[in-house]
Amino acid sequence: MNRTINLMNSIWFGEKSTLSQAEIKENILKAAKEMEVLFNLIELYKKGDFTQKPLLIQLMNQTKDEAVLNLCIRVFLNVATHDDLKDSNNLRFLSEGTEETINTFVSAAITSLSLHIVPYLLALLEEWEDISDTALIMKDSISFFLNFEEQYGEEATVDEIGDFYYKYCDDNDTESYYYQQNLAFPGDLAKKLMQRVMIAANNEEPLSMELIPSLLSIWTGEKVPGKYNTVISGGNYKSFIDYINGLSTKSWEKGRKYFYGHKL
């Protein structure tokens, strides 16, 4: 259970296993508990083997264990392709999700980097708009992909956001992956991270950045050397420079999605 809590609260899914793919698959077959299956699936994906993604989807839609479901959701959204999201059967759990499950999905939706997640968020917004906290998280996640507030303001209706979404899709490449309204690219996020590190180091402040370190760690499989509360100083400043330099030696494509260095 501690490992579950650690993974749910961590900025990434941990170091890669030293086991071979064959050994990990053997462990999946031998697993007695759902959580063991899930942990081993994560290890398989870290090695770039996504052949067992249907097993993750099956587990996500069948489990009755909230902790398993919430971690499944987080993993799925990080490894999901556009095609995975276009198939609504993959997200059947949403139709009977608790408020906690829905909040987990909506908060993690931005890590899908795909415009194809937005129709699910719109459908949920329509269903949950009377629950103000949940509706607010939904609008925040939608606005990550679409700058609808500029045209309609914060009080935009579901129909207005829906119209904005379909026009937006007509004008943009829905088969690319996006961080906010820009094509996803580790180099762009690394630049933003470094800008924040420099400011924080000058004032010996905490990093105070959550999403970018998490995405960079998960995309690259190399953990960012600091967390939200890490105070940046002369002592640890260089570790961030080394980290950024390490990323810059690898080849990344704009608008692509990665999991632990593997292109999805």
Side-chain angles (χ1 to χ4, degrees), residues 8-64:
M8 277 307 287
N9 296 333
S10 175
I11 67 169
W12 69 333
F13 298 105
E15 300 285 351
K16 291 179 184 176
S17 169
T18 54
L19 298 177
S20 67
Q21 289 182 27
E23 287 171 313
I24 296 168
K25 285 181 177 175
E26 186 66 28
N27 285 345
I28 291 171
L29 290 172
K30 289 194 294 200
K33 295 182 177 171
E34 289 179 333
M35 198 57 87
E36 287 176 52
V37 173
L38 180 51
F39 286 148
N40 282 293
L41 284 173
I42 294 169
E43 294 309 327
L44 205 54
Y45 303 153
K46 287 179 196 171
K47 291 188 177 287
D49 182 347
F50 300 101
T51 54
Q52 299 300 315
K53 209 190 292 180
L55 184 53
L56 171 69
I57 292 165
Q58 184 185 341
L59 182 59
M60 183 168 66
N61 284 298
Q62 290 182 358
T63 184
K64 301 297 179 206

Side-chain angles (χ1 to χ4, degrees), residues 196-252:
R196 174 60 204 151
V197 165
M198 287 166 74
I199 293 166
N202 283 335
N203 304 302
E204 295 215 347
E205 296 172 344
L207 181 60
S208 300
M209 195 181 237
E210 199 159 21
L211 181 59
I212 286 177
S214 179
L215 284 174
L216 276 176
S217 301
I218 293 168
W219 290 0
T220 64
E222 307 281 341
K223 192 181 183 186
V224 168
K227 296 188 285 195
Y228 188 87
N229 295 321
T230 303
V231 174
I232 312 299
S233 64
N236 58 12
Y237 177 77
K238 187 175 182 301
S239 63
F240 284 91
I241 294 174
D242 292 343
Y243 180 82
I244 302 297
N245 288 342
L247 295 194
S248 66
T249 62
K250 299 188 171 104
S251 130
W252 309 101

Side-chain angles (χ1 to χ4, degrees), residues 247-260:
L247 295 194
S248 66
T249 62
K250 299 188 171 104
S251 130
W252 309 101
E253 289 176 49
K254 260 188 190 288
R256 297 298 100 206
K257 181 175 176 178
Y258 297 87
F259 187 81
Y260 277 69

